Amino acid sequence: MENFIKYITRNYEIIIKELLNHLSIIGIALPFAVIIGVSVGIIIAGKPKISKIIIYISGMFMTIPSPALFGIMIILLAPFNAGLGKPPAVIALIIYSLLPMIRNTVNAVNSLDHNIIEAAEGMGMKNYQILIKIRIPLALPLIMSGIRSSVVMGVGVATIGYYIAAGGLGYFIFAGLSRSRFEMILTGVILTAALGIFLNYFILKLEDIITPKGLKISGE
Amino acid sequence: MPIKLKNLTKKFGDYTAVNNITLSIEDSKITVLIGPSGCGKTTTLKMINGLIKRTEGNIFFNEISIDKINPIDLRRRIGYVIQEIGLFPHMNVYQNIAVVPKLLGWKENKIKNRINELLELVNLNPEENIFKYPKQLSGGQKQRVGVARALAADPEILLMDEPFGAIDPINREKLQDAFIDIQEKIKKTIVFVTHDIREAIKLGDSISVFNTGKIEQSGKTFEIIKKPKNKFVSNLIGNHAEINTLEFRKAENSIDKDFSAVKINASDTNLLKEQKNSYVIFLDDNNNFLGILSKEKISQLSTENYLNNLKTYFITPDSTLLDAAGIMLSKGINTVPVISAEKKVLGVIKYETIFQEE
Ligand SMILES: Nc1ncnc2c1ncn2[C@@H]1O[C@H](COP(=O)(O)OP(=O)(O)OP(=O)(O)O)[C@@H](O)[C@H]1O
Ligand SMILES: [Mg+2]
């Protein structure tokens, strides 16, 4: 324990640097993942067959072990001179995040009360109006929880970034492991966990803000 | 706007939900579709606004085929109250009602006024309710908002699928009364679906009786009650339908203008004898109602005793024929005067009128 505190106080600069690195990988990947995942989800939501296929494919991506995916990324991106560093880490993270994002979006949009959609159609709303004014606002809480699970998962996955020189909190864990330095591992684990917990809480709050008021009321 | 359904059929796969129905839906009237669960009422409504595509036959609005009308435009001109109400849970009462006016590009101010007007029409206090969300409303309040929403853009046609289904009997009765008043003002072409024969008789100008995708009988409410075409229809309307209808018929619609009235100060025996009806209504000098006497009674009395013997029973125009029949039966008479709030004689209700075919 003494070692741990000593380590932190001596290395706080590098800790902050890697923490920021870690956050930037997630921070860059996340907007892409959200935009791609949510829009794909919304586009395919009305089409059960296509949804099934796409969810299946993105599910397959997720089963690729993360070191392998990072490896593939290095090979694929090498010709563009981007085989190491942040780009492959960011792209891998986007790919991992897609499944929960797409699946939650599809479920969210499809789980809407059929009668509400019918009422909207019956009033002469066009499909895109129904999407924007009815489906998306009602699906938002569920979509957000998809985003949340992607982000929390992403915090963990991004630790692998260490292996491809992307930096991040993985450094403490994996370098610590290879050097058998328990205080380094502990630093990495605690920071990763704390970051996950914090982001989870933060997005939970965001979910609450973004949820339409009419959905939060539990009846008076 | 009148609607015609012509040989309309809807098949879901092999199952025929609506089977070759033909029906004329009169302009500015309430046409009720009634029948047991699963007989095709909702399917018929949804074909009218194009939510369900017909398999065969055709639908005409003002003689124009539904195929020639843009479905989006059509639906914006048709108010639709779906069976499950379907209020948007993330929108408050105001926003729910404002949807179609906004789609039509109304100005915010016009929408605001319209919503206040509509909420009063359906008997909801605007101030109290306008910012409430569906979850904060009772079942009956939701249905009222549903009706207000359907009326929002002043559509020419209203399709109402069991709009009062979720409401307890007492409040349902009240809503029906309110609805009759509303229709008196707005005069829309309304297709109204119900399970409840009492509701059908009360609200319907015409009734179509559905059974397993077919129409057993359609016609004026009174015709259906008087002359049920078959066992199915007579079972549906039950035994006392004819008497029951009296409760729903307003006196003002059955007033007979052919009555005898004289000023009491100007009445002499000869004038009274000349009156061709068996009853004479007496008025004061301002033509206000004083009372009524049968000719038989008049012949037994001297002129100065008329006033003391006058029968003062009467009904108001918003009374029902059941009220009139009640007075007739309890007093043993066959004519009841209808008197306005200003005490003027509007006419009389006669026994024959009540039990005559419309
Ligand atoms: N989309 C559909 N696919 C298959 N069958 C359907 C569909 N919609 C309705 N049906 C069937 O068509 C028949 C008529 O349905 P409809 O909803 O018109 O009945 P209804 O008269 O409105 O009944 P209720 O009084 O219970 O509302 C029912 O047997 C129903 O199961
Ligand atoms: Mg129905």
Side-chain angles (χ1 to χ4, degrees):
Chain A
M1 204 58 195
E2 249 172 66
N3 283 344
F4 173 59
I5 292 165
K6 219 190 273 170
Y7 181 82
I8 291 182
T9 45
R10 283 200 193 143
N11 294 285
Y12 70 94
E13 276 183 350
I14 186 170
I15 288 176
I16 289 173
K17 183 183 139 229
E18 294 302 351
L19 184 64
L20 289 178
N21 255 335
H22 204 90
L23 275 175
S24 72
I25 296 172
I26 299 171
I28 297 169
L30 183 69
F32 285 106
V34 170
I35 290 168
I36 299 171
V38 172
S39 37
V40 168
I42 286 172
I43 290 166
I44 64 174
K47 299 148 188 139
K49 272 187 199 151
I50 299 175
S51 302
K52 229 176 163 177
I53 295 169
I54 296 210
I55 289 175
Y56 185 76
I57 293 174
S58 53
M60 250 163 46
F61 278 129
M62 238 184 136
T63 60
I64 305 175
S66 38
L69 185 62
F70 280 74
I72 294 170
M73 281 295 121
I74 292 174
I75 296 165
L76 288 180
L77 291 177
F80 307 99
N81 240 343
L84 286 179
K86 275 196 189 133
V90 167
I91 293 177
L93 203 54
I94 293 175
I95 290 176
Y96 274 122
S97 311
L98 282 182
L99 175 71
M101 220 81 94
I102 295 177
R103 193 172 45 199
N104 271 46
T105 307
V106 169
N107 286 346
V109 175
N110 285 344
S111 68
L112 296 181
D113 186 349
H114 172 72
N115 297 313
I116 287 170
I117 304 303
E118 190 144 76
E121 284 176 356
M123 296 166 93
M125 287 175 105
K126 295 177 184 159
N127 281 336
Y128 79 89
Q129 291 168 326
I130 295 177
L131 186 68
I132 292 169
K133 292 191 179 151
I134 312 291
R135 284 188 192 270
I136 293 181
L138 288 178
L140 223 44
L142 249 183
I143 292 176
M144 278 306 281
S145 77
I147 292 176
R148 191 159 47 90
S149 47
S150 293
V151 170
V152 171
M153 191 193 66
V155 171
V157 172
T159 55
I160 315 280
Y162 167 71
Y163 283 122
I164 50 174
L169 297 174
Y171 161 74
F172 302 103
I173 297 172
F174 298 111
L177 273 173
S178 59
R179 297 175 207 169
S180 299
R181 288 191 52 191
F182 181 69
E183 64 278 10
M184 258 181 100
I185 301 174
L186 197 60
T187 306
V189 169
I190 289 178
L191 282 178
T192 314
L195 188 61
I197 291 168
F198 167 75
L199 286 177
N200 188 45
Y201 177 80
F202 177 74
I203 301 176
L204 213 58
K205 280 280 147 205
L206 207 61
E207 251 174 82
D208 188 54
I209 294 169
I210 219 168
T211 301
K213 199 171 152 223
L215 300 182
K216 282 191 278 193
I217 300 157
S218 52
E220 277 180 337
Chain B
M1 182 153 57
I3 310 167
K4 277 208 179 93
L5 313 182
K6 217 172 158 205
N7 301 109
L8 198 60
T9 294
K10 177 67 200 180
K11 290 184 179 154
F12 294 109
D14 287 338
Y15 181 76
T16 308
V18 173
N19 192 352
N20 193 22
I21 62 169
T22 294
L23 178 64
S24 273
I25 295 160
E26 239 186 301
D27 188 31
S28 312
K29 293 273 157 61
I30 302 178
T31 300
V32 172
L33 313 184
I34 188 170
S37 192
C39 65
K41 307 180 295 289
T42 299
T43 306
T44 303
L45 276 199
K46 286 185 187 166
M47 281 194 279
I48 294 177
N49 69 6
L51 280 182
I52 289 182
K53 265 195 113 41
R54 65 190 193 275
T55 313
E56 273 163 50
N58 209 342
I59 300 167
F60 298 94
F61 298 89
N62 261 341
E63 311 290 328
I64 298 167
S65 161
I66 189 169
D67 296 331
K68 300 212 174 84
I69 308 172
N70 175 312
I72 298 288
D73 292 340
L74 179 72
R75 288 178 201 153
R76 288 181 188 175
R77 281 159 57 197
I78 299 179
Y80 180 35
V81 184
I82 73 166
Q83 194 163 3
E84 298 81 4
I85 312 174
L87 294 183
F88 303 131
H90 60 304
M91 298 184 185
N92 62 28
V93 168
Y94 182 95
Q95 293 161 331
N96 262 288
I97 302 176
V99 170
V100 180
K102 277 191 181 147
L103 290 176
L104 295 173
W106 287 20
K107 294 253 160 56
E108 199 62 40
N109 230 352
K110 187 177 170 195
I111 297 179
K112 207 178 265 171
N113 292 337
R114 177 70 180 153
I115 289 175
N116 278 319
E117 184 185 306
L118 283 166
L119 286 177
E120 302 212 330
L121 198 67
V122 297
N123 229 336
L124 279 176
N125 183 331
E127 272 141 51
E128 265 172 41
N129 294 294
I130 214 161
F131 295 119
K132 282 192 181 162
Y133 286 90
K135 275 190 185 162
Q136 296 169 305
L137 300 172
S138 71
Q141 288 173 328
K142 276 187 214 161
Q143 293 204 306
R144 288 168 201 229
V145 175
V147 172
R149 182 172 70 170
L151 284 169
D154 205 16
E156 291 148 84
I157 297 167
L158 267 183
L159 306 177
M160 309 181 82
D161 202 343
E162 304 199 32
F164 307 140
I167 303 177
D168 62 281
I170 294 170
N171 279 307
R172 185 194 289 213
E173 206 74 42
K174 280 192 202 154
L175 258 184
Q176 290 165 344
D177 292 335
F179 180 66
I180 291 172
D181 290 343
I182 293 172
Q183 168 65 352
E184 229 143 72
K185 285 179 216 153
I186 61 181
K187 296 268 181 232
K188 304 285 180 199
T189 305
I190 298 176
V191 188
F192 190 107
V193 167
T194 182
H195 269 115
D196 174 4
I197 183 65
R198 192 183 146 82
E199 186 168 70
I201 292 172
K202 181 170 180 181
L203 302 181
D205 294 303
S206 304
I207 295 180
S208 278
V209 181
F210 276 60
N211 184 19
T212 57
K214 291 207 180 90
I215 294 182
E216 294 280 351
Q217 185 176 3
S218 48
K220 289 266 154 48
T221 303
F222 232 60
E223 278 167 35
I224 303 270
I225 291 164
K226 287 267 178 189
K227 292 184 197 139
K229 214 160 120 188
N230 55 35
K231 198 97 202 171
F232 184 84
V233 179
S234 58
N235 281 342
L236 180 82
I237 60 177
N239 292 327
H240 307 293
E242 204 168 323
I243 299 290
N244 288 342
T245 59
L246 296 181
E247 188 187 340
F248 307 135
R249 290 168 61 201
K250 286 264 174 78
E252 59 192 346
N253 298 325
S254 300
I255 292 177
D256 196 331
K257 295 278 182 198
D258 174 26
F259 60 90
S260 311
V262 296
K263 285 196 178 148
I264 197 156
N265 291 332
S267 59
D268 61 49
T269 337
N270 284 334
L271 178 65
L272 290 173
K273 274 193 185 135
E274 281 165 25
Q275 303 298 323
K276 55 183 180 349
N277 289 296
S278 60
Y279 282 77
V280 177
I281 294 170
F282 288 91
L283 309 171
D284 68 10
D285 288 337
N286 298 320
N287 282 325
N288 288 341
F289 175 71
L290 284 175
I292 185 169
L293 278 179
S294 70
K295 271 195 170 162
E296 191 189 341
K297 191 85 181 175
I298 289 171
S299 66
Q300 296 163 7
L301 295 169
S302 53
T303 323
E304 56 275 17
N305 283 329
Y306 291 162
L307 196 57
N308 299 330
N309 284 284
L310 284 181
K311 300 277 183 263
T312 54
Y313 44 73
F314 67 92
I315 58 171
T316 53
D318 59 350
S319 312
T320 66
L321 291 188
L322 190 65
D323 298 330
I327 292 178
M328 288 175 192
L329 295 175
S330 65
K331 309 282 182 200
I333 50 157
N334 60 20
T335 306
V336 179
V338 184
I339 307 301
S340 71
E342 298 79 33
K343 298 216 152 181
K344 295 287 181 272
V345 182
L346 301 172
V348 293
I349 302 291
K350 292 183 173 160
Y351 182 83
E352 309 91 80
T353 325
I354 294 186
F355 294 101
Q356 172 192 75
E357 284 176 37
E358 271 196 339

